[in-house]
Amino acid sequence: MKRYGCLLALLALFALQWALPISQIQQYQQVVDRGTAYRFRTAPVDPVDPFRGRYVTLQFAAAEMTVPAGASYPSDQPLYAPITVEQSGFAVLQPPRRAPPEGDYLTVRVAHRIDDARLRVRLPFDRYYLNERLAPEAERLARDAMRADRATSLAPSWAVVRVRNGEAVLTDLFIDGVPVRQRIAEAERALESEQ
Amino acid sequence: MKRGPEWLQQELPRMQAEGVIDAAVAARLRAYCVAHSAPPRRWIWPLFGALGALLVGFGVVLLLAHNWDGLSRGARMLIAFAPLALGQGACLWALMRADSSPHWREATGAFTALAFAAALALVGQMYHLSSDLDGYLLSCALLALPLAYVLRALSVLLLSAAALLGWTVAAEGAAIFAVLAAFASLLPLISLAWWTGQRAAAKLTLSLWVLMATAAVALSMAERAGWQAALLGLVLTVGIVWLARDVHGRAPLAPLRILAQGGLIVMAAAATFEGFWLGRGVAFDALVSPVASGVLLVEGLVFATLLVRAVRAHHFLVAAGAVPVVFGSCALLMDASVVPVWLGMLLANGYVLGIGVTLLHQGLRLGQLGTAHAGLIAVSLLVVVRFLDADLPFSLRGLAFVIVGLAFIAASLWLRRRAVRA
């Protein structure tokens, strides 16, 4: 009897062990399938996560924004930043609010106040996983691209982010206007032909 | 220090070599010693099985971390969930068919807890989720906890405690009540192990629980400025507890002894990394406080006195055991120009290898399973940390973990069979 009790408890736990990752997959896949795509300007650097592997950290221009002087933004609760698209086609964030606005928005947290009129927030996406061979290469290409384009303070690189109901999933990374994997493959082919 | 039959058995080869006794007397004495020795510590064998399963489990985590981006999302999900399904199947089998075997319950439980952690990590990798290490570790800890209770697996409990400690670090100032409540939830299983006769295993688990819970509570309370002085104090305390065994001629209480042994192992492993030697001289800032300086000075003097005493008494193995404390104190106190980083790393790597081989050899020679296993752990630890440190692909490192884990299980089984045959 005790053994069957343990068995039931174990089966319930196993169901939970499957439910947690599967519910995450379902949640994020819905954002990928049905969310609106936005392009966010970014600059990648290449660190490593001991559990999830190699990735490129993305520093987004949209994470820093101008806010009304004197306005206060609590750092201990989520805020909601509306998304607008500039003439250049890149997405930017409006000063965050305490309640979800109409239209697409991102759920953000305050990172720090730069000065009275500028605020830096933590976005719900900050990394793009690549395998350990590609990640350093992506960083090198992005750095080269940034050197070539001094006109902008951030690299001519961007990330495509799908947004739905405040949830965001990063789906692709572009360097020099080309998807990162394709860009790396091109660079490798060029290197091979030189040799 | 050993007494009675164990001590006599240890001395027999020397007595025979020096002509005090002949081979026939030595054989009769050996038989006497075996008959009158304390029963072997069978409780520890399941933990060795779990240790092998842990290494294999960490190998799986690293193999998944390689990022198999050439595969479709479906195939990657299959790879992520296959170890979890395998582990869960093994847990069910252990519960239904091998419930009386703590080896199976410990090993399958530890593997399943890690397989779940790997599956959850892969979801984050597939959707490029931002860093949420505290949430991730808390999820792993909370889902490992019921697994530990259902399987009565103390190794899973320790994994859960380690994840909770990691959560405390990652959350940067987790609420003290939450930390206390989380660690308190682990205690009933330790009591259960105690009352069902697994007293030695319960003592070991309780000691490690105390160590991790104390660290977590201190981390949630400590202000950053006091860390270096606290660390130096902890390092010296570990050394004093270890060497205090020489004063009374016997080992201190089990929790303290394990605290000291665990601390020494962690320090020895940490000293083999470059980063350990890079952060030198930081404790000087903390020594500005006169109280902290006084306490550290007294601790340092006590440690030095005990170390000299151990060397004078020719207890070289005990003195050698305290060497990681010297590494730790040097790394925290000395200026970068005194000991070059490469020399520190070389000494630490050589030390761990030397201790491992010596213990393994001594354990095999004297038929002491615990000593041989300690040597095996030291050598495996060195292999594992070097593979973690080296700039090798995740897949290769994962494979190395799996191989070391399987080799560890095989060597452990071989030692056990040898002991049973003897």
Side-chain angles (χ1 to χ4, degrees):
Chain A
M1 192 65 194
K2 188 185 157 197
R3 181 177 291 189
Y4 284 106
C6 284
L7 183 66
L8 281 179
L10 201 59
L11 289 173
L13 172 67
F14 289 168
L16 208 59
Q17 282 186 326
W18 283 81
L20 189 64
I22 287 175
S23 68
Q24 283 192 346
I25 289 172
Q26 199 175 22
Q27 177 190 349
Y28 294 118
Q29 193 58 43
Q30 274 199 355
V31 178
V32 171
D33 293 340
R34 299 182 197 169
T36 312
Y38 291 96
R39 292 191 302 161
F40 285 88
R41 274 186 183 278
T42 184
V45 287
D46 157 45
V48 63
D49 181 309
F51 300 104
R52 298 169 198 170
R54 202 104 191 190
Y55 61 91
V56 283
T57 290
L58 303 170
Q59 293 166 350
F60 287 94
E64 197 178 309
M65 62 187 74
T66 306
V67 293
S72 71
Y73 297 97
S75 57
D76 57 349
Q77 66 182 68
L79 299 171
Y80 308 94
I83 305 171
T84 53
V85 179
E86 285 180 326
Q87 275 193 332
S88 60
F90 288 103
V92 290
L93 297 180
Q94 297 304 309
R97 303 168 186 185
R98 287 168 196 248
E102 289 289 317
D104 279 333
Y105 62 91
L106 290 181
T107 309
V108 299
R109 280 184 179 272
V110 172
H112 61 270
R113 190 85 188 227
I114 301 165
D115 56 38
D116 197 37
R118 284 185 305 159
L119 182 73
R120 176 166 278 278
V121 295
R122 284 204 299 267
L123 301 177
F125 43 85
D126 63 1
R127 54 182 61 189
Y128 186 83
Y129 285 94
L130 281 165
N131 78 33
E132 54 226 305
R133 186 179 60 83
L134 301 181
E137 189 61 17
E139 189 199 352
R140 189 186 65 76
L141 289 170
R143 212 172 39 235
D144 292 349
M146 187 159 64
R147 277 201 205 102
D149 185 6
R150 291 281 178 193
T152 53
S153 60
L154 281 169
S157 312
W158 70 82
V160 176
V161 178
R162 296 258 172 192
V163 179
R164 186 171 184 261
N165 299 334
E167 295 277 1
V169 174
L170 199 153
T171 54
D172 215 342
L173 177 65
F174 285 74
I175 295 174
D176 267 347
V178 182
V180 64
R181 285 190 176 80
Q182 191 184 329
R183 183 74 188 80
I184 291 169
E186 282 171 8
E188 283 177 343
R189 273 198 298 274
L191 200 67
E192 278 169 17
S193 63
E194 275 175 26
Q195 287 169 348
Chain B
M1 193 174 288
K2 288 180 167 51
R3 290 191 163 186
E6 288 89 1
W7 174 85
L8 184 58
Q9 192 178 6
Q10 194 175 329
E11 292 297 310
L12 283 175
R14 194 172 1 156
M15 290 164 80
Q16 196 180 340
E18 292 177 5
V20 179
I21 52 172
D22 59 24
V25 175
R28 283 203 299 279
L29 283 172
R30 193 166 288 119
Y32 171 85
C33 291
V34 168
H36 292 83
S37 288
R41 286 182 281 182
R42 292 178 190 282
W43 59 270
I44 210 161
W45 289 341
L47 294 186
F48 285 127
L51 197 58
L54 283 179
L55 286 167
V56 175
F58 277 121
V60 170
V61 171
L62 284 170
L63 282 171
L64 294 184
H66 166 73
N67 197 334
W68 304 91
D69 53 3
L71 298 175
S72 68
R73 190 164 277 169
R76 286 159 76 188
M77 277 202 280
L78 197 68
I79 291 174
F81 288 110
L84 183 61
L86 186 74
Q88 290 180 339
C91 284
L92 285 174
W93 181 84
L95 190 70
M96 299 307 289
R97 302 275 175 210
D99 190 45
S100 58
S101 165
H103 299 76
W104 278 107
R105 284 189 278 109
E106 294 284 351
T108 55
F111 180 82
T112 306
L114 281 171
F116 169 73
L120 203 57
L122 198 76
V123 174
Q125 189 196 76
M126 281 194 301
Y127 290 98
H128 308 286
L129 302 183
S130 65
S131 174
D132 177 25
L133 190 59
D134 53 332
Y136 170 74
L137 289 173
L138 190 60
S139 306
C140 293
L142 292 182
L143 284 187
L145 187 63
L147 192 62
Y149 274 94
V150 176
L151 292 175
R152 287 163 286 134
L154 293 172
S155 58
V156 183
L157 180 145
L158 288 173
L159 270 180
S160 181
L164 284 175
L165 177 58
W167 162 67
T168 315
V169 176
E172 289 176 7
I176 182 88
F177 296 114
V179 174
L180 283 172
F183 273 92
S185 68
L186 304 173
L187 274 177
L189 184 60
I190 304 178
S191 326
L192 187 70
W194 177 271
W195 292 116
T196 51
Q198 298 171 272
R199 298 207 163 184
K203 267 188 196 174
L204 171 68
T205 312
L206 182 64
S207 306
L208 294 171
W209 179 90
V210 167
L211 185 66
M212 288 191 267
T214 309
V217 170
L219 279 168
S220 68
M221 290 172 75
E223 288 184 9
R224 205 173 176 81
W227 280 21
Q228 288 87 2
L231 203 58
L232 186 59
L234 189 65
V235 164
L236 290 169
T237 306
V238 164
I240 290 167
V241 172
W242 170 256
L243 291 171
R245 58 191 297 166
D246 251 27
V247 176
H248 300 294
R250 61 178 183 174
L253 291 174
L256 283 175
R257 189 176 70 235
I258 289 159
L259 180 82
Q261 286 169 345
L264 290 169
I265 290 169
V266 169
M267 266 190 282
T272 64
F273 285 94
E274 188 183 16
F276 183 88
W277 300 95
L278 285 176
R280 285 179 298 179
V282 286
F284 280 121
D285 297 338
L287 292 184
V288 175
S289 154
V291 178
S293 307
V295 170
L296 292 176
L297 190 66
V298 171
E299 278 201 297
L301 285 173
V302 173
F303 173 75
T305 310
L306 289 174
L307 187 60
V308 170
R309 190 188 168 115
V311 173
R312 279 192 174 169
H314 295 259
H315 295 158
F316 296 118
L317 208 55
V318 175
V323 168
V325 176
V326 180
F327 288 155
S329 304
C330 287
L332 282 165
L333 280 171
M334 283 190 181
D335 190 68
S337 59
V338 181
V339 186
V341 172
W342 66 266
L343 182 62
M345 283 177 69
L346 188 72
L347 288 172
N349 279 281
Y351 168 77
V352 175
L353 185 64
I355 283 281
V357 171
T358 306
L359 289 175
L360 192 57
H361 177 252
Q362 190 172 332
L364 288 176
R365 190 168 60 87
L366 301 175
Q368 293 170 347
L369 259 189
T371 309
H373 268 113
L376 200 58
I377 288 173
V379 175
S380 306
L381 188 72
L382 191 64
V383 174
V384 164
V385 295
R386 284 293 62 79
F387 268 99
L388 271 180
D389 202 21
D391 192 19
L392 294 170
F394 276 104
S395 49
L396 196 62
R397 282 192 264 177
L399 205 61
F401 264 65
V402 172
I403 290 169
V404 172
L406 292 176
F408 191 95
I409 293 171
S412 181
L413 283 174
W414 179 76
L415 281 171
R416 192 183 151 197
R417 279 195 189 141
R418 204 179 125 126
V420 169
R421 245 185 268 135

